[in-house]
Every structure is written in C-alpha cells, then in structure tokens.
Amino acid sequence: MSKTLVVSYLPNAYSVTKKTLDHFLAKAQGKTTIVHRDLVKNAPPSYDETSMTAYQMRGFMGKTLTGEHSEAIKPFDILIDEIAGVNTVVFAFPTHNWSEPGVVKTYIDAILQAGRLIMYDAEGKSHGQLKDHKAVVMFASGGIYDEGNPRRTIQAAFTFYLNAIGITDIKFVPVGGTLMGPEVTEKNLAAAKAEVDSVVKAWY
Ligand SMILES: Cc1cc2nc3c(=O)[nH]c(=O)nc-3n(C[C@H](O)[C@H](O)[C@H](O)COP(=O)(O)O)c2cc1C
C-alpha cells in the first residue's frame, strides 16, 4: 500500500483547513497508510551554530559528519528520511500574514537540504531527489486571493519549495474567504472538498 505523509500545523480549534484535511483523511482511509507529522505537537528543528556548520560541511563541502556535527543534524535527517519514505505528502496549514506560518517554513528549511534532497551535479545544476512523489497543499485564508493577486504567495512559494526537491505533481486546495461570513466559507469549503475528492480518486 502507498504511504502518505501529512504535515500539519493547525493550531486553531475552529480551523477550516482542518475540515479540508479531515475530509481528505476520511476519503483516503484504507487506500494509503497515513504518517502524521503534527508541527503543533512537535516543532521542527531550527538551525543553531552546530547544526548549520554540519549542513555546510555535508551539503556544500562534501564532508562526512562525525561527533557533534553528526549528532546535531540528526533531528533534520529524521524529517528528511520520513518524507523520502512516502509516496505522497499532504501539507495543511492556515494563511498567516500572507504566507505559510513560520513553523511550516522552519519545517521546509529543515528538509530542503543540499546534500540530501537537493543534489548538485558537476555543472552546479541542482537535482531534486523526490521525483516520484506527489503533493497536496491545503490552506485556508480569511480573504480571497485570486490568480495574479500579489498576496497569493503560498502557491508560488510551495511550487518553488517542492520543485526544488523534485516534486512537480502538486495540487493546491485553498479555502478563501473564511472571514467573509459562513455562506462564503461553506461554498468555498465545498469546492475544496470536491477538489480533494478528485485528487484522492486520481492518486489512490
Ligand atoms: C496571525 C494571523 C494572521 C492572518 N493573516 C491572514 C492573511 O494574511 N490573509 C488572510 O486572508 N487571512 C489571514 N488570517 C486569517 C486566517 O487565514 C483565516 O482565519 C484562516 O481560516 C485560518 O486557517 P484555519 O481556519 O485553518 O485556522 C490570519 C489569521 C491569523 C490568526
């Protein structure tokens, strides 16, 4: 059976993104094995001086890590091994100040490592290592940011992040207008659930 990693940061008890994710989980049940990385309960590691030195040594200088550097990079490698070991990744988080919340970006910075998920060839060209992975990115926002709106940053950013590690098959499931009244929210949530249905049908 395929494996799906859910990376969520959903601290809001009234989360609309969570409703979208719960719909996905109900539809995907029995079709894939779910691994859940809950960033509310387990914050991702951020770099300190030792782990950043380890990153530089391994990622850009081609060194084999030992001692404190080998230890310091382990929490990052756990996340990298986890995402490398699945077929599909689902991201679920709210829009905070026109972007993914900082905790989600910390997760992205932890896994987008040169020397692991991004390899450089002799010409300096980068190669993402997760070429067979697929991804779904779910995110609610209080406002509605249409195509071309400069505030629509999450879709552009996640396209860059995921392309960098080799994932090009990406579906975006936004739920806009959650602060524009219940009718708007329900309408856009229904559209998001329909999108989830078509993703599950196509991928599992
Ligand atoms: C700290 C914070 C920042 C927010 N920034 C934005 C924003 O930039 N744009 C927007 O449309 N909504 C913004 N909102 C509203 C949320 O995106 C909205 O409530 C959304 O439904 C959150 O997702 P959730 O329901 O899954 O928690 C913000 C909310 C909070 C708490």
Side-chain angles (χ1 to χ4, degrees), residues 10 12 14-17 94-98 140-143 145 178-179:
L10 298 169
N12 174 8
Y14 311 102
S15 170
V16 178
T17 315
T95 303
H96 281 173
N97 300 313
W98 307 282
S141 58
Y145 304 139
T178 65
L179 298 180

Side-chain angles (χ1 to χ4, degrees), residues 85-204:
V86 302
N87 310 95
T88 303
V89 193
V90 177
F91 289 92
F93 53 80
T95 303
H96 281 173
N97 300 313
W98 307 282
S99 86
E100 70 277 15
V103 176
V104 178
K105 182 58 163 60
T106 300
Y107 173 86
I108 292 293
D109 290 344
I111 63 160
L112 261 67
Q113 278 202 41
R116 286 295 319 266
L117 296 185
I118 307 168
M119 301 302 283
Y120 289 88
D121 63 22
E123 280 81 48
K125 192 171 180 306
S126 69
H127 298 273
Q129 298 298 295
L130 305 182
K131 293 207 182 306
D132 295 328
H133 280 50
K134 298 175 192 303
V136 191
V137 185
M138 311 173 169
F139 55 100
S141 58
I144 297 175
Y145 304 139
D146 291 326
E147 206 85 46
N149 188 326
R151 292 177 179 81
R152 193 181 166 110
T153 65
I154 289 172
Q155 190 159 335
F158 269 75
T159 301
F160 281 118
Y161 302 154
L162 297 175
N163 283 181
I165 55 175
I167 306 176
T168 54
D169 196 346
I170 311 165
K171 304 281 187 233
F172 290 94
V173 184
V175 189
T178 65
L179 298 180
M180 298 169 80
E183 273 176 29
V184 175
T185 303
E186 285 312 314
K187 179 171 163 277
N188 292 337
L189 181 58
K193 286 180 177 176
E195 181 61 23
V196 165
D197 290 347
S198 68
V199 169
V200 170
K201 196 166 173 221
W203 286 3
Y204 296 113

Side-chain angles (χ1 to χ4, degrees), residues 68-91:
E68 63 170 351
H69 296 119
S70 168
E71 281 303 309
I73 212 71
K74 273 184 187 162
F76 300 82
D77 280 349
I78 287 169
L79 298 182
I80 290 171
D81 292 342
E82 183 174 67
I83 193 171
V86 302
N87 310 95
T88 303
V89 193
V90 177
F91 289 92

